[in-house]
Amino acid sequence: MTQYDVNALRQEYPILEREIYGKKLVYFDNTATSQTPRCVVEAIENMYYTKKANVHRGVHTLSQEATDMQEMTRERVRQFINAMSTQEIIFTRGTTEAINLVASSFGNFLENDDEIIVTVMEHHANIVPWQLLAQRKRIHLRVVPIDANGNLNIDAYCRLFSERTRFVSICHVSNVLGTVNPIKELIAEAHKHQVPVLIDGAQAISHMRVDVQDIDADFYAFSAHKMYGPTGVGVLYGKKHWLEMMPPYQGGGEMIGHVGFDKTTFAELPFKFEAGTPDFVGIAALREAIDYIERIGIEQIAAHEHELLEYATSQMMEIPGMRIFGTAKNKCALISFLIGNEHHYDIGMLLDKLGIAVRTGHHCAQPLMTSLGIEGTVRASFALYNTREEIDTFIAALRRILTILG
Ligand code: PMP
């Protein structure tokens, strides 16, 4: 596409034509999940209608075609994030499972009193797996704080390293504050201490170019459903030497070499970490989602979203009592806010009545809410198909709601 034509892009999303309470839907809950364009839905349909057979098992043509589709996606993902090898691309159910895989498997290398560094802005998916590990072993979480704008305190991060630090797990982009963390710098610092780093890329992958070799991430996790792809599929990138050392996460079919009651051996990478029948339909459709993003151009998407972010922020700041949480310079297109003493839930519910879908609550980041001294926020988040007109509708709705709430 030479010019960014948002109206043409919107044609690919029938859901955007829906009405909610008689009003045209404004979908601003993209951080939770993005909508899915026709080409991706058609890829799912095509798999079901013409290629459905279990992967990696059959000699028959359909099974081989299904296997090819899955392995073509693996190669597409490898290119998309610039991994060295397809052996480093593991399919999971999503970011959550990817992080659980690492916590559970890499966790075997940790010992009592070892330390893991996370940040206060993590999603529960990047806190609770480490806490579960801490129940198995006496492991301590060290937490990087943020400043008033929602930037990580880098000095504090550097000071958290000790001889007991064994792992760092940090989000690329906060799902509440929008902050884009300087992960290349954070990873370099961890590597000075020979500590590997996992990046939770759930909120970054569809908004910016990710090059795992350039940032030198040891692990990078993301979900397809947040990148215009299908639900139920995610990716764990891991450096080959770590994945080779790590024991399997789950046992079952696909992940074995040979099974005997006396001895079982495991498959080569990446299959060692892919027990059971994968969501091969979703995986095939993920390739279409990546092609779709690349056809539009991730840089163009980022520029469009950034413009929406700036426009929405400036409009919102004119509303009396507006408090925006997360004002980092390097920020993704999402805005968490409260207005005066109004409850986030009331604002979200009234916005819904006006056809506008936003998220309210703690956004699976309760420790962050505690540190901000609040219970929750309203969050509006933008994607490639959102428009300035939708932001105008949203701002007018907020003003109307404030008069209703008095
Ligand atoms: N990390 C972050 C930063 C997220 O925003 C999310 C989803 N809200 C997750 C992890 C979990 O992703 P999933 O539910 O797709 O596994």
Side-chain angles (χ1 to χ4, degrees):
M1 202 167 66
T2 45
Q3 218 190 346
Y4 199 91
D5 184 349
V6 72
N7 290 320
L9 291 169
R10 289 175 70 84
Q11 303 301 313
E12 298 306 310
Y13 296 85
I15 201 168
L16 298 178
E17 295 302 314
R18 271 202 61 177
E19 293 196 344
I20 306 286
Y21 295 109
K23 303 271 190 314
K24 193 160 172 202
L25 168 68
V26 172
Y27 186 76
F28 280 175
D29 193 17
N30 295 286
T31 294
T33 196
S34 56
Q35 295 301 339
T36 313
R38 267 201 187 89
C39 59
V40 173
V41 177
E42 283 166 7
I44 295 171
E45 192 183 70
N46 182 43
M47 279 300 286
Y48 275 116
Y49 284 159
T50 69
K51 290 196 170 39
K52 188 171 179 228
N54 210 332
V55 290
H56 291 303
R57 286 194 190 129
V59 290
H60 65 82
T61 304
L62 278 188
S63 173
Q64 285 177 10
E65 283 180 10
T67 305
D68 287 349
M69 294 298 281
Q70 170 165 304
E71 296 312 309
M72 277 156 69
T73 301
R74 206 185 301 274
E75 169 56 19
R76 192 73 185 91
V77 171
R78 186 203 66 72
Q79 289 168 10
F80 187 55
I81 62 172
N82 193 31
M84 200 117 72
S85 155
T86 49
Q87 290 190 304
E88 300 181 315
I89 308 297
I90 316 270
F91 292 121
T92 65
R93 281 195 302 121
T95 309
T96 302
E97 190 180 44
I99 300 174
N100 274 279
L101 187 163
V102 177
S104 168
S105 175
F106 194 94
N108 286 296
F109 305 144
L110 273 65
E111 289 168 9
N112 282 346
D113 290 324
D114 281 348
E115 296 173 358
I116 296 172
I117 296 177
V118 296
T119 81
V120 73
M121 64 170 82
E122 297 312 316
H123 187 279
H124 296 163
N126 197 22
I127 299 173
V128 184
W130 305 110
Q131 289 177 329
L132 292 176
L133 175 63
Q135 282 175 6
R136 270 165 55 199
K137 302 188 179 182
R138 203 175 57 236
I139 283 162
H140 309 284
L141 289 189
R142 298 281 177 255
V143 183
V144 188
I146 52 173
D147 68 16
N149 293 319
N151 290 300
L152 282 184
N153 182 331
I154 306 289
D155 289 341
Y157 169 73
C158 294
R159 283 197 304 272
L160 280 180
F161 284 89
S162 76
E163 313 79 271
R164 301 308 309 233
T165 310
R166 293 288 174 268
F167 204 82
V168 172
S169 201
I170 292 184
C171 62
H172 195 164
V173 173
S174 159
N175 68 315
V176 177
L177 304 166
T179 311
V180 182
N181 289 319
I183 51 166
K184 193 169 171 176
E185 197 182 322
L186 301 175
I187 292 169
E189 180 64 24
H191 286 175
K192 277 194 220 156
H193 301 269
Q194 282 80 48
V195 174
V197 184
L198 180 148
I199 301 295
D200 169 356
Q203 294 303 340
I205 195 71
S206 66
H207 304 288
M208 63 190 68
R209 179 71 57 196
V210 171
D211 180 330
V212 290
Q213 291 191 70
D214 177 55
I215 59 178
D216 203 18
D218 297 276
F219 300 96
Y220 196 98
F222 56 93
S223 303
H225 71 94
K226 294 183 197 282
M227 51 190 293
Y228 312 101
T231 57
V233 179
V235 171
L236 173 68
Y237 159 80
K239 279 186 184 164
K240 195 173 162 185
H241 73 275
W242 289 124
L243 295 175
E244 273 175 343
M245 279 167 62
M246 286 160 56
Y249 167 56
Q250 292 180 330
E254 314 270 1
M255 55 73 73
I256 48 91
H258 172 81
V259 178
F261 280 113
D262 47 346
K263 184 173 163 45
T264 288
T265 58
F266 305 122
E268 297 285 300
L269 288 175
F271 309 110
K272 180 172 96 175
F273 289 105
E274 294 180 355
T277 300
D279 184 352
F280 55 86
V281 171
I283 292 170
L286 170 58
R287 179 161 67 99
E288 188 54 46
I290 295 174
D291 285 347
Y292 170 77
I293 290 172
E294 294 284 40
R295 274 199 301 277
I296 301 168
I298 198 153
E299 289 77 13
Q300 278 83 335
I301 296 171
H304 174 74
E305 290 175 347
H306 198 73
E307 203 183 299
L308 294 178
L309 174 68
E310 298 220 314
Y311 182 61
T313 305
S314 68
Q315 296 292 304
M316 286 168 73
M317 291 308 286
E318 289 183 9
I319 295 177
M322 178 62 67
R323 279 193 295 160
I324 292 180
F325 298 87
T327 50
K329 269 214 182 74
N330 199 358
K331 186 177 166 180
C332 268
L334 66 94
I335 306 176
S336 281
F337 65 96
L338 289 172
I339 309 176
N341 292 323
E342 303 306 343
H343 198 276
H344 50 88
Y345 180 76
D346 293 337
I347 297 176
M349 198 188 56
L350 290 168
L351 281 171
D352 180 53
K353 296 279 185 288
L354 297 170
I356 301 170
V358 294
R359 187 136 300 235
T360 62
H362 55 62
H363 314 296
C364 296
Q366 280 183 324
L368 175 60
M369 294 299 137
T370 304
S371 91
L372 295 171
I374 54 178
E375 271 177 33
T377 69
V378 186
R379 182 185 67 193
S381 53
F382 313 124
L384 65 86
Y385 40 69
N386 290 124
T387 64
R388 280 169 85 97
E389 293 72 46
E390 288 180 310
I391 289 170
D392 292 338
T393 306
F394 169 64
I395 298 291
L398 283 179
R399 290 187 184 280
R400 190 165 153 207
I401 286 167
L402 289 178
T403 56
I404 296 169
L405 292 171

